[in-house]
Amino acid sequence: MDFFGTVGNNGCYSFHQFNLDEQEREILVEAWGKLSLNSQLYPTIIVLLDGKSLIHTFEEAGNYTLAVKQPDGTLLERMIKVE
């Protein structure tokens, strides 16, 4: 799975990791950024995920709900079928 979206609103942010919470056939994915406070000046750029990949192995075939947590707390949900 490739992810796109915003990591942070200035150059002091960077992508850190994906957090995955799997319970039965529901998978919640969060993309976590990291804030660096090593400098007083940060470029005024939007930091993006730019297609960061997440590889996940499913234990068994079936229908799953994939939910991606958005920055505003809402969930983007899709049903996926694993064969």
Side-chain angles (χ1 to χ4, degrees):
M1 293 178 270
D2 296 333
F3 289 82
F4 296 86
T6 303
V7 175
N9 59 2
N10 63 42
C12 65
Y13 290 92
S14 62
F15 172 76
H16 179 63
Q17 69 184 34
F18 287 110
N19 184 40
L20 207 75
D21 182 17
E22 185 173 359
Q23 296 184 12
E24 296 187 20
R25 294 187 181 261
E26 295 183 7
I27 302 165
L28 175 64
V29 178
E30 290 182 84
W32 288 7
K34 183 165 68 172
L35 176 62
S36 172
L37 299 175
N38 293 336
S39 173
Q40 297 290 47
L41 300 174
Y42 300 108
T44 54
I45 60 171
I46 301 296
V47 180
L48 303 173
L49 285 169
D50 278 336
K52 289 281 185 209
S53 292
L54 170 65
I55 298 172
H56 181 69
T57 303
F58 293 88
E59 296 294 323
E60 58 186 56
N63 294 322
Y64 291 82
T65 300
L66 176 65
V68 179
K69 189 170 184 183
Q70 303 296 296
D72 66 0
T74 61
L75 298 176
L76 174 63
E77 294 183 321
R78 296 288 183 265
M79 294 293 294
I80 58 173
K81 183 176 184 176
V82 176
E83 296 181 339

